[in-house]
Amino acid sequence: MPPEFFLDRNLGRRVAEELRMRGWVVHCIADVFPTDAQDVPDGEWIAHGLDRSWVPLSKDGRIKTRDLEIRPVRDRSGVLFYLDNQQLRSIEMVQRLDSHRSAIHRAVEKGGLPPTPSAGTGSTAPGPDGALNLLPRGHCSP
């Protein structure tokens, strides 16, 4: 069964529609939270998705450095994918995600690292390959 993804509002509806047309199973934040989750902290929508086994997708690479936002990923041994380029057009985001689809699916199957006792320390740094240090080795942000 293919993984399901939970799209941050910053990706937009067009990205969701295009990914669906390419066979991705996606859930939009606006379909779950009122007012497009404008008042919902990132950690809350991320936790909501992970609790339903939906893999978060975002284009906010800063999430990886914010403890309150990345903590749900760590605590659930989950994975999160981000496009660390705010200037991409919708079609470029879709192409980048879809071109890494196999690698993304493999990373989802492997899952994240087990929760660490230091989960509240704020020590989340991207690895040398641009990945969150809690993602499987070899993962790169698409």
Side-chain angles (χ1 to χ4, degrees):
M1 175 175 240
E4 297 183 37
F5 296 90
F6 196 29
L7 274 63
D8 192 352
R9 71 181 154 271
N10 61 23
L11 291 172
R13 285 239 176 241
R14 182 166 180 217
V15 170
E17 292 166 7
E18 290 286 334
L19 288 174
R20 284 183 183 129
M21 288 184 354
R22 294 169 189 238
W24 291 57
V25 179
V26 299
H27 304 276
C28 294
I29 201 167
D31 297 335
V32 176
F33 294 101
T35 67
D36 204 20
Q38 293 294 326
D39 298 324
V40 177
D42 284 337
E44 187 175 328
W45 76 261
I46 291 168
H48 180 88
L50 290 169
D51 288 344
R52 286 152 185 78
S53 298
W54 301 345
V55 179
L57 290 178
S58 179
K59 72 173 186 179
D60 182 1
R62 295 172 297 174
I63 284 176
K64 68 186 176 282
T65 63
R66 296 183 189 137
D67 187 59
L68 290 176
E69 296 169 11
I70 202 62
R71 186 179 299 156
V73 178
R74 258 198 323 256
D75 291 350
R76 290 161 178 81
S77 301
V79 292
L80 170 147
F81 297 92
Y82 62 91
L83 295 166
D84 206 4
N85 183 336
Q86 300 290 316
Q87 306 307 314
L88 293 175
R89 295 176 304 152
S90 295
I91 194 63
E92 292 170 318
M93 289 187 267
V94 171
Q95 290 168 341
R96 192 165 291 185
L97 288 165
D98 202 45
S99 70
H100 288 84
R101 185 180 198 166
S102 294
I104 289 170
H105 284 212
R106 283 192 306 273
V108 170
E109 285 176 26
K110 286 182 180 179
L113 294 175
T116 60
S118 61
T121 64
S123 60
T124 57
D129 58 356
L132 297 177
N133 63 1
L134 55 131
L135 295 179
R137 277 189 71 66
H139 164 75
C140 61
S141 59

PDB file of all heavy atoms in Angstrom, residues 103-131:
ATOM      1  N   ALA A 103      12.562   7.028  -3.846  1.00  0.00           N
ATOM      2  CA  ALA A 103      13.400   7.249  -2.666  1.00  0.00           C
ATOM      3  C   ALA A 103      12.551   7.662  -1.465  1.00  0.00           C
ATOM      4  O   ALA A 103      12.803   7.220  -0.336  1.00  0.00           O
ATOM      5  CB  ALA A 103      14.457   8.305  -2.957  1.00  0.00           C
ATOM      6  N   ILE A 104      11.540   8.480  -1.703  1.00  0.00           N
ATOM      7  CA  ILE A 104      10.640   8.904  -0.632  1.00  0.00           C
ATOM      8  C   ILE A 104       9.902   7.695  -0.075  1.00  0.00           C
ATOM      9  O   ILE A 104       9.823   7.501   1.141  1.00  0.00           O
ATOM     10  CB  ILE A 104       9.667   9.994  -1.132  1.00  0.00           C
ATOM     11  CG1 ILE A 104      10.428  11.301  -1.364  1.00  0.00           C
ATOM     12  CG2 ILE A 104       8.516  10.195  -0.158  1.00  0.00           C
ATOM     13  CD1 ILE A 104       9.627  12.376  -2.086  1.00  0.00           C
ATOM     14  N   HIS A 105       9.378   6.847  -0.941  1.00  0.00           N
ATOM     15  CA  HIS A 105       8.647   5.661  -0.491  1.00  0.00           C
ATOM     16  C   HIS A 105       9.561   4.726   0.307  1.00  0.00           C
ATOM     17  O   HIS A 105       9.141   4.176   1.329  1.00  0.00           O
ATOM     18  CB  HIS A 105       8.027   4.938  -1.681  1.00  0.00           C
ATOM     19  CG  HIS A 105       6.806   5.621  -2.214  1.00  0.00           C
ATOM     20  ND1 HIS A 105       5.761   4.942  -2.781  1.00  0.00           N
ATOM     21  CD2 HIS A 105       6.459   6.934  -2.273  1.00  0.00           C
ATOM     22  CE1 HIS A 105       4.823   5.793  -3.169  1.00  0.00           C
ATOM     23  NE2 HIS A 105       5.228   7.006  -2.867  1.00  0.00           N
ATOM     24  N   ARG A 106      10.802   4.567  -0.156  1.00  0.00           N
ATOM     25  CA  ARG A 106      11.745   3.708   0.586  1.00  0.00           C
ATOM     26  C   ARG A 106      12.023   4.293   1.970  1.00  0.00           C
ATOM     27  O   ARG A 106      12.075   3.558   2.965  1.00  0.00           O
ATOM     28  CB  ARG A 106      13.049   3.541  -0.189  1.00  0.00           C
ATOM     29  CG  ARG A 106      12.952   2.574  -1.349  1.00  0.00           C
ATOM     30  CD  ARG A 106      14.327   2.215  -1.919  1.00  0.00           C
ATOM     31  NE  ARG A 106      15.138   3.364  -2.303  1.00  0.00           N
ATOM     32  CZ  ARG A 106      15.083   3.966  -3.498  1.00  0.00           C
ATOM     33  NH1 ARG A 106      14.244   3.534  -4.429  1.00  0.00           N
ATOM     34  NH2 ARG A 106      15.866   4.998  -3.753  1.00  0.00           N
ATOM     35  N   ALA A 107      12.203   5.606   2.050  1.00  0.00           N
ATOM     36  CA  ALA A 107      12.465   6.245   3.339  1.00  0.00           C
ATOM     37  C   ALA A 107      11.267   6.102   4.275  1.00  0.00           C
ATOM     38  O   ALA A 107      11.435   5.869   5.478  1.00  0.00           O
ATOM     39  CB  ALA A 107      12.809   7.713   3.145  1.00  0.00           C
ATOM     40  N   VAL A 108      10.060   6.199   3.726  1.00  0.00           N
ATOM     41  CA  VAL A 108       8.858   6.032   4.546  1.00  0.00           C
ATOM     42  C   VAL A 108       8.797   4.602   5.088  1.00  0.00           C
ATOM     43  O   VAL A 108       8.478   4.383   6.261  1.00  0.00           O
ATOM     44  CB  VAL A 108       7.581   6.377   3.738  1.00  0.00           C
ATOM     45  CG1 VAL A 108       6.330   5.975   4.499  1.00  0.00           C
ATOM     46  CG2 VAL A 108       7.550   7.866   3.404  1.00  0.00           C
ATOM     47  N   GLU A 109       9.112   3.618   4.242  1.00  0.00           N
ATOM     48  CA  GLU A 109       9.095   2.222   4.678  1.00  0.00           C
ATOM     49  C   GLU A 109      10.092   1.971   5.801  1.00  0.00           C
ATOM     50  O   GLU A 109       9.800   1.236   6.738  1.00  0.00           O
ATOM     51  CB  GLU A 109       9.424   1.293   3.503  1.00  0.00           C
ATOM     52  CG  GLU A 109       8.292   1.129   2.527  1.00  0.00           C
ATOM     53  CD  GLU A 109       8.681   0.268   1.327  1.00  0.00           C
ATOM     54  OE1 GLU A 109       9.597  -0.571   1.454  1.00  0.00           O
ATOM     55  OE2 GLU A 109       8.064   0.447   0.265  1.00  0.00           O
ATOM     56  N   LYS A 110      11.273   2.579   5.706  1.00  0.00           N
ATOM     57  CA  LYS A 110      12.289   2.412   6.745  1.00  0.00           C
ATOM     58  C   LYS A 110      11.894   3.108   8.041  1.00  0.00           C
ATOM     59  O   LYS A 110      12.225   2.670   9.126  1.00  0.00           O
ATOM     60  CB  LYS A 110      13.630   2.970   6.284  1.00  0.00           C
ATOM     61  CG  LYS A 110      14.332   2.112   5.273  1.00  0.00           C
ATOM     62  CD  LYS A 110      15.672   2.740   4.928  1.00  0.00           C
ATOM     63  CE  LYS A 110      16.432   1.926   3.926  1.00  0.00           C
ATOM     64  NZ  LYS A 110      17.715   2.553   3.589  1.00  0.00           N
ATOM     65  N   GLY A 111      11.224   4.235   7.927  1.00  0.00           N
ATOM     66  CA  GLY A 111      10.856   5.020   9.100  1.00  0.00           C
ATOM     67  C   GLY A 111      12.033   5.822   9.620  1.00  0.00           C
ATOM     68  O   GLY A 111      13.156   5.715   9.123  1.00  0.00           O
ATOM     69  N   GLY A 112      11.760   6.610  10.618  1.00  0.00           N
ATOM     70  CA  GLY A 112      12.804   7.440  11.226  1.00  0.00           C
ATOM     71  C   GLY A 112      13.548   6.672  12.288  1.00  0.00           C
ATOM     72  O   GLY A 112      13.268   5.516  12.566  1.00  0.00           O
ATOM     73  N   LEU A 113      14.509   7.352  12.876  1.00  0.00           N
ATOM     74  CA  LEU A 113      15.250   6.755  13.975  1.00  0.00           C
ATOM     75  C   LEU A 113      14.348   6.648  15.188  1.00  0.00           C
ATOM     76  O   LEU A 113      13.406   7.424  15.341  1.00  0.00           O
ATOM     77  CB  LEU A 113      16.470   7.618  14.309  1.00  0.00           C
ATOM     78  CG  LEU A 113      17.538   7.703  13.223  1.00  0.00           C
ATOM     79  CD1 LEU A 113      18.619   8.681  13.657  1.00  0.00           C
ATOM     80  CD2 LEU A 113      18.134   6.351  12.941  1.00  0.00           C
ATOM     81  N   PRO A 114      14.650   5.723  16.095  1.00  0.00           N
ATOM     82  CA  PRO A 114      13.857   5.643  17.326  1.00  0.00           C
ATOM     83  C   PRO A 114      13.955   6.947  18.105  1.00  0.00           C
ATOM     84  O   PRO A 114      14.958   7.662  17.989  1.00  0.00           O
ATOM     85  CB  PRO A 114      14.507   4.498  18.111  1.00  0.00           C
ATOM     86  CG  PRO A 114      15.472   3.859  17.212  1.00  0.00           C
ATOM     87  CD  PRO A 114      15.717   4.764  16.044  1.00  0.00           C
ATOM     88  N   PRO A 115      12.931   7.259  18.901  1.00  0.00           N
ATOM     89  CA  PRO A 115      12.983   8.479  19.707  1.00  0.00           C
ATOM     90  C   PRO A 115      14.228   8.467  20.595  1.00  0.00           C
ATOM     91  O   PRO A 115      14.656   7.423  21.064  1.00  0.00           O
ATOM     92  CB  PRO A 115      11.713   8.422  20.560  1.00  0.00           C
ATOM     93  CG  PRO A 115      10.825   7.456  19.872  1.00  0.00           C
ATOM     94  CD  PRO A 115      11.715   6.499  19.116  1.00  0.00           C
ATOM     95  N   THR A 116      14.793   9.631  20.817  1.00  0.00           N
ATOM     96  CA  THR A 116      15.986   9.725  21.649  1.00  0.00           C
ATOM     97  C   THR A 116      15.627  10.317  22.996  1.00  0.00           C
ATOM     98  O   THR A 116      14.688  11.110  23.099  1.00  0.00           O
ATOM     99  CB  THR A 116      17.051  10.621  20.982  1.00  0.00           C
ATOM    100  OG1 THR A 116      16.487  11.916  20.812  1.00  0.00           O
ATOM    101  CG2 THR A 116      17.485  10.060  19.642  1.00  0.00           C
ATOM    102  N   PRO A 117      16.373   9.965  24.044  1.00  0.00           N
ATOM    103  CA  PRO A 117      16.083  10.537  25.357  1.00  0.00           C
ATOM    104  C   PRO A 117      16.248  12.044  25.375  1.00  0.00           C
ATOM    105  O   PRO A 117      15.667  12.720  26.180  1.00  0.00           O
ATOM    106  CB  PRO A 117      17.117   9.880  26.278  1.00  0.00           C
ATOM    107  CG  PRO A 117      17.722   8.770  25.517  1.00  0.00           C
ATOM    108  CD  PRO A 117      17.442   9.000  24.059  1.00  0.00           C
ATOM    109  N   SER A 118      17.045  12.590  24.467  1.00  0.00           N
ATOM    110  CA  SER A 118      17.282  14.031  24.453  1.00  0.00           C
ATOM    111  C   SER A 118      16.315  14.755  23.532  1.00  0.00           C
ATOM    112  O   SER A 118      16.624  15.812  23.023  1.00  0.00           O
ATOM    113  CB  SER A 118      18.718  14.301  23.996  1.00  0.00           C
ATOM    114  OG  SER A 118      18.902  13.793  22.685  1.00  0.00           O
ATOM    115  N   ALA A 119      15.123  14.202  23.330  1.00  0.00           N
ATOM    116  CA  ALA A 119      14.180  14.744  22.366  1.00  0.00           C
ATOM    117  C   ALA A 119      13.821  16.195  22.626  1.00  0.00           C
ATOM    118  O   ALA A 119      13.442  16.901  21.714  1.00  0.00           O
ATOM    119  CB  ALA A 119      12.915  13.898  22.330  1.00  0.00           C
ATOM    120  N   GLY A 120      13.939  16.676  23.839  1.00  0.00           N
ATOM    121  CA  GLY A 120      13.561  18.051  24.123  1.00  0.00           C
ATOM    122  C   GLY A 120      14.709  19.033  24.109  1.00  0.00           C
ATOM    123  O   GLY A 120      14.549  20.172  24.501  1.00  0.00           O
ATOM    124  N   THR A 121      15.876  18.612  23.653  1.00  0.00           N
ATOM    125  CA  THR A 121      17.041  19.480  23.765  1.00  0.00           C
ATOM    126  C   THR A 121      17.174  20.479  22.639  1.00  0.00           C
ATOM    127  O   THR A 121      17.978  21.394  22.724  1.00  0.00           O
ATOM    128  CB  THR A 121      18.337  18.644  23.819  1.00  0.00           C
ATOM    129  OG1 THR A 121      18.468  17.969  22.578  1.00  0.00           O
ATOM    130  CG2 THR A 121      18.316  17.674  24.975  1.00  0.00           C
ATOM    131  N   GLY A 122      16.450  20.278  21.547  1.00  0.00           N
ATOM    132  CA  GLY A 122      16.562  21.202  20.432  1.00  0.00           C
ATOM    133  C   GLY A 122      17.769  20.935  19.565  1.00  0.00           C
ATOM    134  O   GLY A 122      18.159  21.774  18.771  1.00  0.00           O
ATOM    135  N   SER A 123      18.373  19.765  19.687  1.00  0.00           N
ATOM    136  CA  SER A 123      19.580  19.477  18.913  1.00  0.00           C
ATOM    137  C   SER A 123      19.248  18.749  17.620  1.00  0.00           C
ATOM    138  O   SER A 123      19.616  17.609  17.436  1.00  0.00           O
ATOM    139  CB  SER A 123      20.529  18.624  19.754  1.00  0.00           C
ATOM    140  OG  SER A 123      19.890  17.418  20.102  1.00  0.00           O
ATOM    141  N   THR A 124      18.487  19.401  16.755  1.00  0.00           N
ATOM    142  CA  THR A 124      18.202  18.814  15.454  1.00  0.00           C
ATOM    143  C   THR A 124      18.928  19.618  14.408  1.00  0.00           C
ATOM    144  O   THR A 124      18.717  20.814  14.269  1.00  0.00           O
ATOM    145  CB  THR A 124      16.691  18.824  15.144  1.00  0.00           C
ATOM    146  OG1 THR A 124      16.230  20.162  15.229  1.00  0.00           O
ATOM    147  CG2 THR A 124      15.929  17.953  16.110  1.00  0.00           C
ATOM    148  N   ALA A 125      19.806  18.960  13.699  1.00  0.00           N
ATOM    149  CA  ALA A 125      20.582  19.634  12.655  1.00  0.00           C
ATOM    150  C   ALA A 125      20.533  18.788  11.400  1.00  0.00           C
ATOM    151  O   ALA A 125      20.501  17.561  11.487  1.00  0.00           O
ATOM    152  CB  ALA A 125      22.017  19.817  13.122  1.00  0.00           C
ATOM    153  N   PRO A 126      20.509  19.427  10.252  1.00  0.00           N
ATOM    154  CA  PRO A 126      20.527  18.647   9.027  1.00  0.00           C
ATOM    155  C   PRO A 126      21.862  17.938   8.873  1.00  0.00           C
ATOM    156  O   PRO A 126      22.894  18.451   9.286  1.00  0.00           O
ATOM    157  CB  PRO A 126      20.316  19.688   7.929  1.00  0.00           C
ATOM    158  CG  PRO A 126      20.737  20.971   8.537  1.00  0.00           C
ATOM    159  CD  PRO A 126      20.493  20.852  10.016  1.00  0.00           C
ATOM    160  N   GLY A 127      21.821  16.748   8.307  1.00  0.00           N
ATOM    161  CA  GLY A 127      23.050  16.015   8.042  1.00  0.00           C
ATOM    162  C   GLY A 127      23.757  16.593   6.832  1.00  0.00           C
ATOM    163  O   GLY A 127      23.257  17.511   6.187  1.00  0.00           O
ATOM    164  N   PRO A 128      24.919  16.047   6.501  1.00  0.00           N
ATOM    165  CA  PRO A 128      25.694  16.574   5.385  1.00  0.00           C
ATOM    166  C   PRO A 128      24.986  16.430   4.040  1.00  0.00           C
ATOM    167  O   PRO A 128      25.291  17.143   3.098  1.00  0.00           O
ATOM    168  CB  PRO A 128      26.987  15.747   5.426  1.00  0.00           C
ATOM    169  CG  PRO A 128      26.660  14.555   6.235  1.00  0.00           C
ATOM    170  CD  PRO A 128      25.564  14.948   7.164  1.00  0.00           C
ATOM    171  N   ASP A 129      24.019  15.524   3.972  1.00  0.00           N
ATOM    172  CA  ASP A 129      23.307  15.338   2.711  1.00  0.00           C
ATOM    173  C   ASP A 129      22.040  16.191   2.638  1.00  0.00           C
ATOM    174  O   ASP A 129      21.218  16.005   1.760  1.00  0.00           O
ATOM    175  CB  ASP A 129      22.954  13.856   2.520  1.00  0.00           C
ATOM    176  CG  ASP A 129      22.105  13.305   3.649  1.00  0.00           C
ATOM    177  OD1 ASP A 129      21.843  14.029   4.619  1.00  0.00           O
ATOM    178  OD2 ASP A 129      21.689  12.149   3.565  1.00  0.00           O
ATOM    179  N   GLY A 130      21.856  17.114   3.572  1.00  0.00           N
ATOM    180  CA  GLY A 130      20.693  17.990   3.561  1.00  0.00           C
ATOM    181  C   GLY A 130      19.473  17.379   4.207  1.00  0.00           C
ATOM    182  O   GLY A 130      18.395  17.942   4.150  1.00  0.00           O
ATOM    183  N   ALA A 131      19.642  16.216   4.826  1.00  0.00           N
ATOM    184  CA  ALA A 131      18.518  15.525   5.459  1.00  0.00           C
ATOM    185  C   ALA A 131      18.439  15.893   6.931  1.00  0.00           C
ATOM    186  O   ALA A 131      19.410  16.319   7.536  1.00  0.00           O
ATOM    187  CB  ALA A 131      18.695  14.019   5.333  1.00  0.00           C
TER     188      ALA A 131
END
